[in-house]
Amino acid sequence: MSEAFGGPHGAPVSNRVPVLRLGDVLLVTLQGDLHDSTAQQLQDDLAESIVRSGAGGVIMDISGVEIVDSFLGRVLAEIAAQTDLLAARTVVVGMRPAVAITLVELGLTLPGMRTALNTEAAMELLTGQAVSSHFGGPRRESQ
Amino acid sequence: MHTAAGSQARLPIRSDMDLVWVRQHVRQAAAQIGFGLVDQTKLVTAASELARNTLIYGGGGTMETEPLTDGGARGLRLTFADEGPGIADLEQALSDGFTSGEGLGLGLGGARRLVHEFAIDSAPGAGTMVRVTSWVGRPPRPREES
Ligand SMILES: Nc1ncnc2c1ncn2[C@@H]1O[C@H](COP(=O)(O)OP(=O)(O)O)[C@@H](O)[C@H]1O
Ligand SMILES: [Mg+2]
């Protein structure tokens, strides 16, 4: 999985978030402090990946994200709405407690956003079955 | 109340890269002053909202950080300033859901809820200045008050 966090040669990905494919599900791991343009690029990339792969679900792991402001919150909500329109579902996993507390006070409630505590739970939610080891290694879907 | 020694800084806000610097700087300053993780996150989020407004609506500007001491209390003050078009109707701008752009309209109202003290000074043609202050260990202000 370490492939998910770096570019082709392990260099940090600065302006594109990799989208990995795990069976019928696309896995996106957001980390660190995202530029506005990176978040927007991800939104476009994901729509394309869903259409191209026919994936039925998207898991957005935000456990590495230290803050979600109204800009990133809107991008997450738009990704969820957009995947709905493309007949897929998005589950956001791993929101840090400090981020959740802050979002409530900010007034961003993200209605309709599905969340799960971890990737396994999200996978179960999306595929309706317990996760076993039959998934092969992650395949790079776009980069 | 006076300014604590050191760590005063002024950062430019001219690009979305600068928004990243602003967040990192506020995170570091808040941690250094002794804010806990949740309070750091609130301050950084408020700063991100206000810096983005400075960039998008104010056409760019600056953020100043100032560590404060008041008796035994320690705080951090952030001042965002631009020389953009200013805000004609402050009450409208502060109300949740109002945006003149493509935002969610939660930046000003949300930032106000996330800090202890919030002041805004703006007039059409005269730019905008937003100043927020939070204090270490002080409970959040009651929700209704915002
Ligand atoms: N620095 C600024 N200069 C001019 N107008 C501003 C500034 N900051 C905020 N505003 C006005 O206040 C409105 C509300 O801001 P905000 O609550 O952050 O919501 P949003 O950024 O989503 O529009 C903005 O749409 C804009 O019209
Ligand atoms: Mg705003």
Side-chain angles (χ1 to χ4, degrees):
Chain A
M1 284 286 287
S2 64
E3 204 192 358
F5 304 115
H9 308 291
V13 176
S14 59
N15 54 4
R16 237 167 165 142
V17 181
V19 178
L20 302 179
R21 188 166 174 189
L22 279 166
D24 187 39
V25 170
L26 300 177
L27 177 62
V28 179
T29 303
L30 298 184
Q31 276 204 310
D33 200 324
L34 296 186
H35 290 212
D36 292 3
S37 57
T38 308
Q40 243 150 10
Q41 180 72 52
L42 171 66
Q43 194 177 342
D44 296 346
D45 286 351
L46 257 181
E48 216 177 284
S49 296
I50 290 169
V51 170
R52 188 151 31 83
S53 66
V58 176
I59 296 177
M60 302 258 293
D61 183 347
I62 62 166
S63 58
V65 173
E66 290 183 347
I67 78 140
V68 176
D69 62 11
S70 68
F71 180 86
L72 185 54
R74 181 175 60 122
V75 170
L76 294 177
E78 282 179 1
I79 285 175
Q82 173 183 282
T83 54
D84 270 355
L85 286 175
L86 296 171
R89 290 188 299 162
T90 295
V91 181
V92 171
V93 305
M95 186 182 291
R96 295 184 180 196
V99 170
I101 291 167
T102 300
L103 279 181
V104 171
E105 246 159 81
L106 192 61
L108 201 62
T109 50
L110 301 173
M113 180 89 86
R114 291 176 200 81
T115 58
L117 286 180
N118 55 49
T119 309
E120 289 73 30
M123 195 64 99
E124 276 184 48
L125 202 68
L126 286 171
T127 63
Q129 48 186 261
V131 184
S132 64
S133 55
H134 77 269
F135 291 106
R139 233 164 25 87
R140 191 173 293 274
E141 179 60 30
S142 88
Q143 156 66 25
Chain B
M1 177 166 68
H2 32 232
T3 300
S7 320
Q8 216 168 336
R10 175 184 226 162
L11 278 72
I13 302 173
R14 303 242 159 258
S15 68
D16 71 330
M17 188 62 212
D18 289 338
L19 300 185
V20 175
W21 297 131
V22 160
R23 290 191 288 259
Q24 285 179 1
H25 185 84
V26 172
R27 168 79 66 183
Q28 262 166 28
Q32 208 175 7
I33 287 167
F35 283 97
L37 185 58
V38 172
D39 291 334
Q40 287 175 33
T41 305
K42 288 181 182 181
L43 256 176
V44 175
T45 306
S48 187
E49 294 294 345
L50 298 173
R52 185 174 287 101
N53 284 351
T54 299
L55 177 67
I56 293 182
Y57 301 112
T62 56
M63 174 188 73
E64 270 182 56
T65 60
E66 216 181 329
L68 304 172
T69 55
D70 183 11
R74 278 141 60 85
L76 181 61
R77 179 150 82 195
L78 310 174
T79 305
F80 299 81
D82 66 64
E83 294 176 352
I87 301 172
D89 187 340
L90 278 176
E91 202 184 319
Q92 181 187 51
L94 276 158
S95 63
D96 281 351
F98 174 80
T99 180
S100 63
E102 297 174 346
L104 294 174
L106 292 173
L108 286 177
R112 181 162 66 168
R113 285 187 288 273
L114 288 169
V115 299
H116 290 125
E117 294 158 26
F118 180 99
I120 184 165
D121 187 7
S122 184
T128 298
M129 195 274 299
V130 181
R131 174 168 284 168
V132 297
T133 307
S134 280
W135 298 94
V136 175
R138 192 186 290 183
R141 43 175 182 182
R143 294 293 289 282
E144 307 74 40
E145 206 186 285
S146 64

